[in-house]
Amino acid sequence: MALDKNGIAKRIAKEVQDGYYVNLGIGIPTLVANYVRNDIEVEFQSENGVLGMGPFPFEGEEDADIINAGKQTITTLPGASFFDSAMSFSMIRGQHVHLTILGAMEVAENGDIANWKIPGRMVKGMGGAMDLVASAENIIVAMMHTNKAGESKLLKRCSLPLTGVGCVKKIVTNLAVLEVTESGFKLLERAPGVSVEDIQKATEGTLIVEGAIPEMNL
Amino acid sequence: MALDKNGIAKRIAKEVQDGYYVNLGIGIPTLVANYVRNDIEVEFQSENGVLGMGPFPFEGEEDADIINAGKQTITTLPGASFFDSAMSFSMIRGQHVHLTILGAMEVAENGDIANWKIPGRMVKGMGGAMDLVASAENIIVAMMHTNKAGESKLLKRCSLPLTGVGCVKKIVTNLAVLEVTESGFKLLERAPGVSVEDIQKATEGTLIVEGAIPEMNL
Amino acid sequence: MINKQVAGVQDAIAGVSDNMTCMFGGFGLSGIPENAIAALVKSGVKGLTCISNNAGVDDFGLGLLLHQHQIKKMVSSYVGENDEFERQMLSGELDVELIPQGTLAERCRAAQAGFPAVYTPAGYGTEVAEGKETREFDGKMYVLEHAFKADFAFVKAWKGDAAGNLIFKGTARNFNPNMCGAAKITVAEVEELVPVGELDPNQIHIPGIFVQRIFQGEKYEKRIEQRTVRKRE
Amino acid sequence: MINKQVAGVQDAIAGVSDNMTCMFGGFGLSGIPENAIAALVKSGVKGLTCISNNAGVDDFGLGLLLHQHQIKKMVSSYVGENDEFERQMLSGELDVELIPQGTLAERCRAAQAGFPAVYTPAGYGTEVAEGKETREFDGKMYVLEHAFKADFAFVKAWKGDAAGNLIFKGTARNFNPNMCGAAKITVAEVEELVPVGELDPNQIHIPGIFVQRIFQGEKYEKRIEQRTVRKRE
C-alpha cells in the first residue's frame, strides 16, 4: 500500500542521524520533525533565522516575532539561537547544516531538481530553495511519486525550470526509496505491499533494480 | 617655527567635522582625538572592533578585553558598540567611516602612500592600513615633512613598497598643509613662521604654490 | 555620540521620491517597518523598486504600497499570499525579479560591506544564472551576483537608541541587519527608543554607524501570517 | 540540543597533527585561546601554519609556539613586538605571509559562509596583489582573495554553553567569531561555561552550529600589552 504523507515523513526520519543539523522545507518535510527518534540529538534550522526550533506554541503563547520559514508561529528549545539572514545562509552555504529535506515537482535521474516554477502559472518564487540545493551535501527529496495527473515525477530530464543541478542524493516517495546514481534512480526500498512493477510503471527515468528489493521498515 | 607632533594633531583636528566617524592610526593620528572641538559630535572607530572610544581608563580600571588597535587599554563612551573584525572592516570598506587619519613614511604627488615596509628591515606588517587607504573616501596623512636623515617624504614617486595607490587627499606635516591634486602637491597653509621656500626645499615632489599662502590658524 | 534621532516618521521618510530603489526588512510580515510603509503609502510616492524578501499580503506590509500602484518593480525571493500582487504581475503592470533568498541577503551584505559582487553557488544551472558570469572554484560552479544599489533602506528593530544602535528580537531580525548601511540612507524604526547608554555595547546587533535616521514607531500591529498552535494536554 | 562539550583542553586539541593549518582568534593578546595554545605547546606538534592577526609576544600567545619552533608559517597582518619571531623570520626559519587585516577577516568569513573568494579593494597596486587576479567594478579596482582552508580554528569566548553557543566580550571578540566554522573543526574555549538555556537566544554572537568542541578554560591570564591609563584629577 502506498504511503501517505506521514508515512513518507516517517521513513525520511530514519535518515536523520545523531548530531545532525537539519533544514526542513515546507509540506511533507515539516512533518519529519514529528518522527525523529528521541534518543538522538538533532537540531532544526529554519532559514529565516533560527536554530533549535521546537514544537508549535501553546494557544495564546504565539509570538509574531518567532516564526519559521513557512511563517508559522513556533517555539524554541534550550540552546536555540536567532540570527540574521546572511548568517543563516552562511550556515547553509558553508555546509554547516548536514541535511536538507525538501519537496519537489520533478527530479531527474542526474539529480536535477525542479520545484519552484511552472511556466504560465503564477510563480511564487524559490525562497531559499536554490541556496539550499546548491549548497547542501546531503539532500533528500520528499514527494509523491506521481503528480495529480498520474504522471511520473522521476524523470530522465526535468521539464520544468530547474531549482538546482545534479544535487539530489536520495528520494523518498509514497512508493519507494531511491538513490540517485550515475546510471539512474537506484531502487533501494519498496513501500509496504508495493511491487517493483508498480514502481517501474510510475517512474519515467531509468530505474535500476538490483537483486531483491526489501520493503521499508517503518 | 615647525610644528611638533601635537601641533600637527591640533591642525588635523580642524578637519574633523560634525557627525564624522573617524579612524585614527597609531602615532600622531592618535593625538588628534585630544584636540577635536567639543561642540561637535564625532565618534572614533578602532578597527579591532569598537565604535565610540573614550579616553584611557583611570588607573586600576584597565580591562584586558577593551583595547584599541594600538593594543592600548581604552574606555568607551555612551552609545558605543563592540563588533567582530569582519563587521569592523565592513564599516571601513563600505565607506561608513568618513575620515581616516594615518601616518606615512612616504607620500607621492599622485596620492600613493607607503607606510608599512622598508626592504631589508624587519617588516611588522600592514595591519589594517591597506584596507583603510583602499576604502576611505577621505584620507589625511599626518607626518613629519622630512625623515630623520632630512630627506623629503613628499615625493614624485614613492621609493618604498606601496600601501595604497592614489588615495591620499590631504597631508598635514610639521611644515605645511598640502592637498594632493592632479598636478602635484598644492600648498594650502604654512606652519607659523615657516616660509614657502622652507617648504619648497623640503619637498621633492612637485609643489604648487598659487598666490599668497596663509599661515595655519591653530 | 552622533545623534540620528528624527522627530517622527515624516522626517524619517524625507527625501524618498518617485522611481527610487528602496530596501525593506522583514520576512513575511515579521519584522517589517510598519510605520515607514504606512507613511510611504500616505506620501503617494510612485514608481518604487522594492528590494524585500516578500511582498506582504493584500492588506498589510508592502501589499499596501502595491494596492496604491506605488511599486514599479519587486526584487524578492518569494511573493505568494497576495492576490493583488498576482494580478499586477500577470497583467504586466508590475515587474518582478525573483532571486534566491541567500543571494538576496548577501547582495545586501555586499552593499553594506563595500564588496562589489560575490560568487554564490545558488542558482547555478538555472534561469536565475542566465546572462550572468559563472565560474568554477575547486570543481564547483558559482554565479557572480552584484551588490545592490539602493537609495533608502527601511528596517525595523526591537530596541534602539539615538546613536542609531539597534537590537532585534527573535526571527524578526531576518534581513533587517543586512540592509543597514546597504543603501545611501538607512531609516530604522524601533518598538522602543531607549536612552543612549542603556544598551549593552556588547549586545548591539547593528552599530549606529550603519543608520542615518531612527525613530520610535507609533504603534505596531505585528500581524501573524500563520497562527499555528498546539493544544495543552 | 547537540552536545559539543569536551572534558578539557586535551580532548579539545585531539587530532591536531604536524603540518596542519590552524586559525587562532585574538587581536594582540586580547581574546586569544590561551588554554589551547598552552596545550599545543605541550603536545609538541610541529610544522604548523598559523592564521592569526598577530603572533603574540616573546613569552605569551603564539610566541610560546614560536619559541618551541612549532610554527612553520604565519599568515598575519601585523607581527611586531616579538624578538624571537624577528630572529626566525630573518634567518628564514619561519615563513611569513603578511596580508591586510580586513582581508584576513574576510577570508575567514568566506570560509565560514561557503564563499570561494571575495573581491576586496585592499592591497590593489601593492605587492600584496602581485600574482593575484585583479578586476574593475564601477571604475574601482579590486583584488580576488580566496577563502582560507584550515584544519582547526581555535577561538576564545567569554561565555558559552554545551550547545556550542558563544558570547564574546568587548574587543576580545575581534577575529574569533569570523573563525568559527571557518575550519574543519572549531574548538572554542570559554571563560565560563553556563547551563544550556541560560544564554538569551537573541544575544548569542555565534550559534553552536559553527562549533565542534567547547570547554571552559582552566584559567585566563589575559595579559595587557599596552597598559595606558589616565590619572584621576
Side-chain angles (χ1 to χ4, degrees):
Chain A
M1 210 185 67
L3 304 177
D4 61 5
K5 290 181 177 185
N6 280 292
I8 295 174
K10 210 166 164 179
R11 175 58 191 83
I12 290 179
K14 295 180 64 171
E15 303 287 322
V16 178
Q17 292 178 28
D18 192 26
Y20 265 20
Y21 293 98
V22 182
N23 181 291
L24 300 176
I26 297 169
I28 302 175
T30 303
L31 302 172
V32 172
N34 301 332
Y35 299 105
V36 172
R37 284 162 47 192
N38 52 25
D39 62 335
I40 61 173
E41 292 177 342
V42 171
E43 286 187 40
F44 294 103
Q45 194 253 19
S46 196
E47 64 268 25
N48 60 316
V50 56
L51 184 68
M53 272 190 291
F56 294 142
F58 288 118
E59 251 178 284
E61 295 183 358
E62 317 90 86
D63 184 339
D65 293 329
I66 303 182
I67 63 171
N68 64 16
K71 286 129 188 166
Q72 298 172 310
T73 46
I74 56 158
T75 60
T76 57
L77 299 173
S81 54
F82 298 112
F83 35 84
D84 64 55
S85 297
M87 182 172 270
S88 183
F89 283 91
S90 291
M91 294 178 186
I92 290 166
R93 200 184 309 100
Q95 303 191 329
H96 307 287
V97 172
H98 300 107
L99 176 61
T100 287
I101 303 170
L102 76 177
M105 297 167 181
E106 296 178 350
V107 177
E109 60 187 57
N110 66 352
D112 289 357
I113 178 172
N115 72 351
W116 76 284
K117 184 173 183 178
I118 302 178
R121 284 227 226 136
M122 166 65 188
V123 181
K124 296 193 170 183
M126 67 292 281
M130 283 195 181
D131 305 274
L132 282 158
V133 301
S135 305
E137 280 194 274
N138 197 355
I139 298 170
I140 301 179
V141 165
M143 65 176 191
M144 303 310 276
H145 213 98
T146 52
N147 64 21
K148 282 173 190 163
E151 300 159 339
S152 179
K153 296 170 73 174
L154 289 94
L155 308 172
K156 285 199 188 308
R157 287 285 168 270
C158 290
S159 65
L160 296 171
L162 297 184
T163 308
V165 295
C167 51
V168 176
K169 298 280 182 295
K170 203 172 244 186
I171 306 149
V172 179
T173 74
N174 53 327
L175 303 182
V177 179
L178 308 104
E179 192 188 339
V180 175
T181 70
E182 291 203 351
S183 36
F185 298 112
K186 184 173 175 189
L187 185 57
L188 299 182
E189 298 173 22
R190 298 172 292 118
V194 171
S195 71
V196 171
E197 291 67 38
D198 293 337
I199 296 165
Q200 181 66 74
K201 224 168 18 185
T203 307
E204 192 253 4
T206 309
L207 187 73
I208 302 163
V209 184
E210 287 177 1
I213 306 299
E215 272 193 4
M216 294 178 198
N217 184 1
L218 288 168
Chain B
M1 210 185 65
L3 302 177
D4 61 5
K5 289 180 177 185
N6 279 292
I8 296 173
K10 209 164 164 182
R11 175 60 191 83
I12 291 178
K14 297 179 64 172
E15 303 288 321
V16 178
Q17 292 177 29
D18 192 27
Y20 265 19
Y21 292 99
V22 182
N23 181 291
L24 300 177
I26 297 170
I28 302 175
T30 304
L31 301 173
V32 172
N34 302 331
Y35 299 106
V36 173
R37 282 162 50 191
N38 51 24
D39 61 335
I40 61 173
E41 292 178 341
V42 172
E43 285 187 40
F44 293 103
Q45 194 252 20
S46 196
E47 63 268 27
N48 61 316
V50 54
L51 184 69
M53 271 190 290
F56 294 142
F58 288 119
E59 251 179 285
E61 294 183 357
E62 316 89 86
D63 184 339
D65 293 330
I66 302 181
I67 63 172
N68 65 17
K71 286 124 188 170
Q72 299 172 310
T73 46
I74 55 157
T75 61
T76 57
L77 299 174
S81 54
F82 298 112
F83 36 85
D84 65 54
S85 298
M87 182 172 269
S88 182
F89 284 93
S90 291
M91 294 177 187
I92 291 167
R93 201 185 308 100
Q95 304 190 329
H96 307 288
V97 172
H98 300 107
L99 175 62
T100 287
I101 303 170
L102 79 176
M105 297 167 182
E106 296 178 350
V107 177
E109 60 186 57
N110 66 350
D112 289 358
I113 178 172
N115 73 350
W116 75 285
K117 185 175 184 177
I118 303 179
R121 285 225 227 138
M122 167 65 189
V123 180
K124 296 193 168 184
M126 67 292 281
M130 282 195 183
D131 304 276
L132 283 159
V133 301
S135 305
E137 281 194 271
N138 198 353
I139 297 171
I140 300 180
V141 166
M143 65 177 188
M144 303 309 277
H145 212 100
T146 54
N147 64 20
K148 283 174 190 163
E151 298 159 341
S152 179
K153 296 170 74 174
L154 289 94
L155 308 172
K156 285 199 188 309
R157 287 285 169 270
C158 290
S159 64
L160 296 171
L162 297 184
T163 307
V165 296
C167 50
V168 175
K169 298 279 183 296
K170 203 172 243 187
I171 306 150
V172 178
T173 73
N174 52 328
L175 303 184
V177 180
L178 309 104
E179 192 187 341
V180 175
T181 70
E182 290 202 352
S183 34
F185 298 113
K186 184 173 173 187
L187 185 58
L188 299 181
E189 299 173 22
R190 297 173 292 120
V194 171
S195 71
V196 170
E197 291 67 38
D198 293 338
I199 295 164
Q200 180 66 73
K201 222 166 22 179
T203 307
E204 193 255 1
T206 309
L207 187 74
I208 301 164
V209 184
E210 287 177 1
I213 307 298
E215 274 194 6
M216 294 179 198
N217 182 1
L218 289 167
Chain C
M1 194 274 299
I2 301 170
N3 191 351
K4 309 297 178 69
Q5 191 179 348
V6 294
V9 68
Q10 284 314 316
D11 290 350
I13 67 160
V16 179
S17 60
D18 290 357
N19 302 310
M20 275 189 169
T21 296
C22 298
M23 297 176 155
F24 294 89
F27 187 99
L29 299 178
S30 188
I32 58 173
E34 296 187 16
N35 290 273
I37 293 171
L40 289 170
V41 169
K42 266 197 216 156
S43 80
V45 63
K46 286 211 161 31
L48 296 179
T49 293
C50 297
I51 299 166
S52 167
N53 189 56
N54 312 93
V57 293
D58 271 310
D59 62 344
F60 203 54
L62 292 184
L64 299 170
L65 281 165
L66 275 166
H67 198 75
Q68 304 294 328
H69 304 269
Q70 294 175 273
I71 301 179
K72 179 174 67 184
K73 180 177 179 180
M74 284 296 314
V75 181
S76 305
S77 88
Y78 193 83
V79 292
E81 292 104 20
N82 194 322
D83 290 338
E84 175 64 15
F85 184 99
E86 189 165 346
R87 200 197 57 69
Q88 291 186 23
M89 181 176 167
L90 294 176
S91 73
E93 214 173 316
L94 178 69
D95 188 10
V96 179
E97 185 183 346
L98 292 168
I99 61 173
Q101 195 175 129
T103 299
L104 198 156
E106 203 60 25
R107 289 176 68 186
C108 292
R109 196 255 172 187
Q112 175 190 68
F115 292 109
V118 295
Y119 286 108
T120 177
Y124 175 75
T126 76
E127 63 180 53
V128 160
E130 278 170 25
K132 290 177 186 163
E133 178 180 329
T134 59
R135 177 162 175 173
E136 185 185 318
F137 290 94
D138 281 339
K140 183 163 180 164
M141 296 302 297
Y142 296 82
V143 184
L144 188 68
E145 295 278 6
H146 292 259
F148 283 126
K149 287 175 187 170
D151 298 294
F152 278 83
F154 294 100
V155 304
K156 187 260 172 183
W158 181 37
K159 292 184 181 182
D161 65 22
N165 294 308
L166 303 177
I167 293 180
F168 304 89
K169 183 175 156 242
T171 55
R173 192 182 319 187
N174 56 66
F175 292 87
N176 284 298
N178 309 125
M179 288 177 173
C180 292
K184 284 179 202 140
I185 294 176
T186 296
V187 177
E189 60 179 82
V190 296
E191 288 183 53
E192 192 189 351
L193 197 67
V194 305
V196 170
E198 198 173 284
L199 301 177
D200 179 353
N202 216 33
Q203 296 292 14
I204 286 165
H205 292 136
I206 282 293
I209 192 171
F210 294 111
V211 173
Q212 277 68 50
R213 303 175 189 170
I214 191 168
F215 69 100
Q216 182 173 311
E218 263 195 17
K219 67 175 180 63
Y220 286 94
E221 187 174 334
K222 301 220 281 186
R223 207 185 283 189
I224 292 175
E225 258 180 284
Q226 304 282 339
R227 189 177 303 270
T228 46
V229 296
R230 64 186 150 138
K231 293 255 179 244
R232 281 173 208 280
E233 270 147 29
Chain D
M1 194 275 298
I2 300 171
N3 192 351
K4 309 295 178 69
Q5 192 179 348
V6 294
V9 69
Q10 285 312 317
D11 291 352
I13 67 160
V16 179
S17 60
D18 291 354
N19 302 311
M20 277 188 167
T21 296
C22 298
M23 296 176 155
F24 294 88
F27 188 99
L29 300 178
S30 187
I32 59 173
E34 295 186 17
N35 290 272
I37 292 171
L40 290 170
V41 170
K42 268 197 213 157
S43 80
V45 63
K46 288 214 158 32
L48 296 178
T49 293
C50 296
I51 298 166
S52 166
N53 189 57
N54 313 92
V57 294
D58 272 310
D59 63 343
F60 203 55
L62 292 184
L64 299 170
L65 281 164
L66 274 167
H67 199 75
Q68 303 293 326
H69 303 270
Q70 294 175 274
I71 301 178
K72 181 173 65 183
K73 181 178 178 179
M74 285 295 314
V75 180
S76 305
S77 86
Y78 193 82
V79 293
E81 294 104 19
N82 194 321
D83 291 338
E84 175 62 14
F85 184 99
E86 190 166 343
R87 202 197 55 70
Q88 291 186 25
M89 181 177 168
L90 293 177
S91 73
E93 217 174 312
L94 178 69
D95 188 12
V96 178
E97 185 184 344
L98 292 169
I99 61 174
Q101 196 175 131
T103 300
L104 198 156
E106 203 60 25
R107 290 176 67 186
C108 292
R109 197 256 172 183
Q112 175 191 67
F115 291 108
V118 295
Y119 286 107
T120 177
Y124 174 74
T126 76
E127 63 181 52
V128 159
E130 278 169 24
K132 290 177 186 163
E133 178 181 328
T134 59
R135 178 163 174 172
E136 184 185 320
F137 290 94
D138 280 339
K140 183 164 178 162
M141 296 302 298
Y142 296 83
V143 184
L144 187 69
E145 296 278 5
H146 291 261
F148 283 125
K149 286 176 188 169
D151 299 294
F152 278 83
F154 295 100
V155 304
K156 187 260 173 181
W158 180 39
K159 293 184 181 181
D161 64 23
N165 295 308
L166 302 178
I167 292 178
F168 303 89
K169 181 175 157 242
T171 55
R173 191 181 321 185
N174 54 68
F175 292 86
N176 285 297
N178 308 126
M179 289 178 174
C180 290
K184 284 179 202 139
I185 295 177
T186 296
V187 177
E189 58 179 83
V190 296
E191 288 183 53
E192 192 188 353
L193 198 66
V194 305
V196 169
E198 198 172 284
L199 300 178
D200 178 353
N202 216 33
Q203 295 293 12
I204 286 166
H205 293 135
I206 284 292
I209 191 170
F210 293 112
V211 173
Q212 278 67 50
R213 303 176 189 169
I214 191 167
F215 69 102
Q216 182 173 311
E218 264 194 17
K219 66 175 180 60
Y220 286 94
E221 188 174 332
K222 302 219 281 184
R223 207 185 282 189
I224 291 176
E225 260 180 282
Q226 305 282 341
R227 187 177 304 270
T228 44
V229 296
R230 66 185 148 139
K231 293 257 177 242
R232 280 173 208 280
E233 273 149 27

